[in-house]
Short mmCIF file of all heavy atoms in Angstrom, two decimals:
data_model
loop_
_atom_site.label_atom_id
_atom_site.label_comp_id
_atom_site.label_asym_id
_atom_site.label_seq_id
_atom_site.Cartn_x
_atom_site.Cartn_y
_atom_site.Cartn_z
N ALA A 193 109.00 90.81 105.37
CA ALA A 193 108.18 91.94 104.89
C ALA A 193 107.50 92.65 106.05
O ALA A 193 107.40 93.88 106.08
CB ALA A 193 107.14 91.44 103.88
N ASP A 194 107.03 91.88 107.01
CA ASP A 194 106.34 92.46 108.16
C ASP A 194 107.29 93.29 109.03
O ASP A 194 106.84 94.19 109.76
CB ASP A 194 105.69 91.37 109.01
CG ASP A 194 104.52 90.69 108.31
OD1 ASP A 194 103.99 91.28 107.34
OD2 ASP A 194 104.16 89.58 108.71
N LEU A 195 108.58 92.98 108.96
CA LEU A 195 109.57 93.67 109.79
C LEU A 195 110.20 94.88 109.12
O LEU A 195 110.79 95.72 109.79
CB LEU A 195 110.68 92.70 110.20
CG LEU A 195 110.30 91.61 111.20
CD1 LEU A 195 111.39 90.53 111.27
CD2 LEU A 195 110.05 92.20 112.58
N THR A 196 110.10 94.96 107.79
CA THR A 196 110.71 96.07 107.06
C THR A 196 109.67 97.11 106.70
O THR A 196 108.57 96.77 106.25
CB THR A 196 111.41 95.55 105.79
OG1 THR A 196 110.54 94.67 105.07
CG2 THR A 196 112.68 94.79 106.14
N PRO A 197 109.99 98.39 106.88
CA PRO A 197 108.97 99.44 106.68
C PRO A 197 108.48 99.60 105.25
O PRO A 197 107.32 99.94 105.03
CB PRO A 197 109.70 100.71 107.15
CG PRO A 197 110.81 100.24 108.01
CD PRO A 197 111.24 98.92 107.46
N HIS A 198 109.34 99.36 104.26
CA HIS A 198 108.98 99.63 102.86
C HIS A 198 109.32 98.42 102.00
O HIS A 198 110.38 98.37 101.35
CB HIS A 198 109.72 100.87 102.35
CG HIS A 198 109.57 102.07 103.24
ND1 HIS A 198 108.38 102.74 103.38
CD2 HIS A 198 110.47 102.69 104.05
CE1 HIS A 198 108.54 103.74 104.24
NE2 HIS A 198 109.79 103.72 104.66
N SER A 199 108.45 97.43 101.99
CA SER A 199 108.76 96.19 101.29
C SER A 199 107.61 95.72 100.43
O SER A 199 106.43 96.01 100.70
CB SER A 199 109.14 95.09 102.29
OG SER A 199 108.07 94.85 103.18
N ASP A 200 107.96 94.99 99.37
CA ASP A 200 107.00 94.32 98.49
C ASP A 200 107.40 92.86 98.39
O ASP A 200 108.59 92.55 98.25
CB ASP A 200 107.02 94.95 97.09
CG ASP A 200 106.57 96.40 97.10
OD1 ASP A 200 105.41 96.65 97.44
OD2 ASP A 200 107.41 97.27 96.79
N LEU A 201 106.42 91.98 98.44
CA LEU A 201 106.68 90.55 98.37
C LEU A 201 106.03 89.97 97.12
O LEU A 201 104.85 90.21 96.86
CB LEU A 201 106.12 89.85 99.61
CG LEU A 201 106.13 88.31 99.61
CD1 LEU A 201 107.53 87.77 99.45
CD2 LEU A 201 105.48 87.79 100.89
N HIS A 202 106.81 89.22 96.34
CA HIS A 202 106.31 88.58 95.13
C HIS A 202 106.73 87.11 95.12
O HIS A 202 107.82 86.76 95.58
CB HIS A 202 106.85 89.27 93.88
CG HIS A 202 106.36 90.67 93.70
ND1 HIS A 202 105.25 90.98 92.95
CD2 HIS A 202 106.81 91.84 94.22
CE1 HIS A 202 105.04 92.29 92.98
NE2 HIS A 202 105.98 92.84 93.74
N VAL A 203 105.86 86.28 94.58
CA VAL A 203 106.10 84.85 94.49
C VAL A 203 106.07 84.44 93.03
O VAL A 203 105.14 84.80 92.29
CB VAL A 203 105.06 84.05 95.30
CG1 VAL A 203 105.31 82.55 95.18
CG2 VAL A 203 105.07 84.48 96.77
N ILE A 204 107.08 83.70 92.60
CA ILE A 204 107.14 83.19 91.23
C ILE A 204 106.76 81.71 91.24
O ILE A 204 107.35 80.92 91.98
CB ILE A 204 108.55 83.40 90.63
CG1 ILE A 204 108.80 84.90 90.42
CG2 ILE A 204 108.69 82.65 89.30
CD1 ILE A 204 110.15 85.23 89.80
N GLU A 205 105.79 81.37 90.45
CA GLU A 205 105.32 79.98 90.38
C GLU A 205 106.32 79.10 89.63
O GLU A 205 107.11 79.57 88.83
CB GLU A 205 103.96 79.93 89.67
CG GLU A 205 102.84 80.62 90.43
CD GLU A 205 102.46 79.91 91.72
OE1 GLU A 205 102.69 78.68 91.80
OE2 GLU A 205 101.94 80.57 92.63
N HIS A 206 106.24 77.81 89.94
CA HIS A 206 107.07 76.80 89.27
C HIS A 206 108.55 77.09 89.46
O HIS A 206 109.35 76.97 88.52
CB HIS A 206 106.72 76.71 87.78
CG HIS A 206 105.24 76.58 87.52
ND1 HIS A 206 104.51 75.49 87.97
CD2 HIS A 206 104.37 77.41 86.91
CE1 HIS A 206 103.24 75.66 87.61
NE2 HIS A 206 103.13 76.80 86.97
N ALA A 207 108.92 77.48 90.67
CA ALA A 207 110.32 77.75 90.99
C ALA A 207 110.59 77.32 92.41
O ALA A 207 109.76 77.50 93.30
CB ALA A 207 110.63 79.23 90.82
N GLY A 208 111.79 76.77 92.62
CA GLY A 208 112.23 76.39 93.95
C GLY A 208 113.24 77.39 94.49
O GLY A 208 113.16 78.59 94.21
N HIS A 209 114.23 76.89 95.24
CA HIS A 209 115.19 77.76 95.91
C HIS A 209 116.13 78.44 94.91
O HIS A 209 116.61 79.54 95.16
CB HIS A 209 116.00 76.95 96.93
CG HIS A 209 116.82 77.80 97.84
ND1 HIS A 209 116.27 78.62 98.80
CD2 HIS A 209 118.17 77.96 97.94
CE1 HIS A 209 117.23 79.24 99.45
NE2 HIS A 209 118.40 78.86 98.95
N PHE A 210 116.40 77.80 93.78
CA PHE A 210 117.25 78.41 92.76
C PHE A 210 116.40 79.14 91.72
O PHE A 210 116.67 79.08 90.51
CB PHE A 210 118.15 77.35 92.11
CG PHE A 210 119.44 77.15 92.85
CD1 PHE A 210 119.62 76.04 93.66
CD2 PHE A 210 120.46 78.07 92.76
CE1 PHE A 210 120.81 75.85 94.36
CE2 PHE A 210 121.66 77.90 93.45
CZ PHE A 210 121.83 76.78 94.25
N MET A 211 115.41 79.85 92.18
CA MET A 211 114.47 80.58 91.34
C MET A 211 115.13 81.42 90.24
O MET A 211 114.69 81.38 89.09
CB MET A 211 113.60 81.47 92.22
CG MET A 211 112.61 82.35 91.51
SD MET A 211 111.89 83.52 92.69
CE MET A 211 113.32 84.56 93.04
N PRO A 212 116.21 82.20 90.51
CA PRO A 212 116.78 83.02 89.44
C PRO A 212 117.34 82.20 88.27
O PRO A 212 117.47 82.72 87.16
CB PRO A 212 117.90 83.80 90.14
CG PRO A 212 117.52 83.80 91.58
CD PRO A 212 116.87 82.46 91.80
N VAL A 213 117.69 80.94 88.53
CA VAL A 213 118.18 80.06 87.48
C VAL A 213 117.06 79.24 86.87
O VAL A 213 117.03 79.00 85.66
CB VAL A 213 119.29 79.13 88.02
CG1 VAL A 213 119.83 78.21 86.94
CG2 VAL A 213 120.42 79.95 88.64
N GLU A 214 116.10 78.85 87.70
CA GLU A 214 114.97 78.07 87.22
C GLU A 214 114.02 78.91 86.37
O GLU A 214 113.48 78.43 85.37
CB GLU A 214 114.19 77.50 88.41
CG GLU A 214 114.97 76.50 89.26
CD GLU A 214 114.21 76.14 90.52
OE1 GLU A 214 113.25 75.35 90.43
OE2 GLU A 214 114.56 76.66 91.60
N ARG A 215 113.80 80.15 86.76
CA ARG A 215 112.88 81.05 86.06
C ARG A 215 113.58 82.39 85.80
O ARG A 215 113.21 83.42 86.34
CB ARG A 215 111.61 81.27 86.89
CG ARG A 215 110.76 80.01 87.05
CD ARG A 215 110.04 79.67 85.75
NE ARG A 215 109.30 78.42 85.86
CZ ARG A 215 109.41 77.40 85.03
NH1 ARG A 215 110.26 77.49 84.01
NH2 ARG A 215 108.70 76.31 85.17
N PRO A 216 114.61 82.38 84.93
CA PRO A 216 115.42 83.59 84.75
C PRO A 216 114.66 84.77 84.16
O PRO A 216 114.85 85.91 84.60
CB PRO A 216 116.55 83.13 83.83
CG PRO A 216 116.01 81.92 83.14
CD PRO A 216 115.11 81.25 84.13
N ASP A 217 113.82 84.53 83.17
CA ASP A 217 113.12 85.64 82.52
C ASP A 217 112.14 86.30 83.48
O ASP A 217 112.07 87.54 83.56
CB ASP A 217 112.39 85.16 81.26
CG ASP A 217 113.34 84.69 80.18
OD1 ASP A 217 114.54 85.05 80.23
OD2 ASP A 217 112.91 83.94 79.28
N GLU A 218 111.37 85.48 84.20
CA GLU A 218 110.40 86.04 85.15
C GLU A 218 111.10 86.78 86.27
O GLU A 218 110.66 87.85 86.70
CB GLU A 218 109.53 84.93 85.73
CG GLU A 218 108.62 84.23 84.72
CD GLU A 218 109.27 82.97 84.15
OE1 GLU A 218 110.51 82.96 83.93
OE2 GLU A 218 108.53 81.99 83.92
N THR A 219 112.23 86.22 86.74
CA THR A 219 112.97 86.85 87.81
C THR A 219 113.51 88.21 87.38
O THR A 219 113.36 89.22 88.09
CB THR A 219 114.12 85.95 88.28
OG1 THR A 219 113.58 84.71 88.76
CG2 THR A 219 114.92 86.61 89.39
N ALA A 220 114.15 88.25 86.23
CA ALA A 220 114.74 89.50 85.75
C ALA A 220 113.67 90.55 85.50
O ALA A 220 113.84 91.73 85.86
CB ALA A 220 115.54 89.25 84.47
N ALA A 221 112.55 90.15 84.91
CA ALA A 221 111.48 91.11 84.63
C ALA A 221 110.92 91.69 85.93
O ALA A 221 110.64 92.89 86.02
CB ALA A 221 110.38 90.44 83.82
N LEU A 222 110.76 90.83 86.93
CA LEU A 222 110.22 91.29 88.21
C LEU A 222 111.18 92.27 88.88
O LEU A 222 110.78 93.36 89.31
CB LEU A 222 109.97 90.09 89.12
CG LEU A 222 109.48 90.38 90.53
CD1 LEU A 222 108.22 91.23 90.53
CD2 LEU A 222 109.25 89.08 91.29
N VAL A 223 112.47 91.92 88.94
CA VAL A 223 113.44 92.77 89.61
C VAL A 223 113.60 94.10 88.89
O VAL A 223 113.51 95.18 89.50
CB VAL A 223 114.81 92.07 89.72
CG1 VAL A 223 115.87 93.04 90.25
CG2 VAL A 223 114.71 90.85 90.62
N LEU A 224 113.80 94.08 87.59
CA LEU A 224 114.05 95.31 86.85
C LEU A 224 112.80 96.18 86.77
O LEU A 224 112.89 97.41 86.82
CB LEU A 224 114.58 94.99 85.46
CG LEU A 224 115.97 94.34 85.46
CD1 LEU A 224 116.37 93.91 84.06
CD2 LEU A 224 117.03 95.27 86.05
N GLY A 225 111.63 95.56 86.68
CA GLY A 225 110.39 96.34 86.71
C GLY A 225 110.20 97.04 88.04
O GLY A 225 109.81 98.22 88.09
N TRP A 226 110.47 96.33 89.12
CA TRP A 226 110.35 96.91 90.46
C TRP A 226 111.34 98.04 90.66
O TRP A 226 110.99 99.11 91.17
CB TRP A 226 110.54 95.82 91.51
CG TRP A 226 110.40 96.30 92.93
CD1 TRP A 226 109.24 96.46 93.64
CD2 TRP A 226 111.46 96.69 93.81
NE1 TRP A 226 109.51 96.91 94.91
CE2 TRP A 226 110.87 97.05 95.04
CE3 TRP A 226 112.84 96.73 93.68
CZ2 TRP A 226 111.62 97.48 96.14
CZ3 TRP A 226 113.61 97.17 94.77
CH2 TRP A 226 112.99 97.53 95.97
#
Side-chain angles (χ1 to χ4, degrees):
D194 291 342
L195 290 167
T196 48
H198 308 291
S199 60
D200 296 296
L201 172 59
H202 293 267
V203 179
I204 292 181
E205 294 292 334
H206 310 298
H209 191 69
F210 273 103
M211 178 190 69
V213 180
E214 295 172 76
R215 294 287 176 233
D217 294 341
E218 295 94 323
T219 299
L222 177 55
V223 172
L224 293 174
W226 181 84

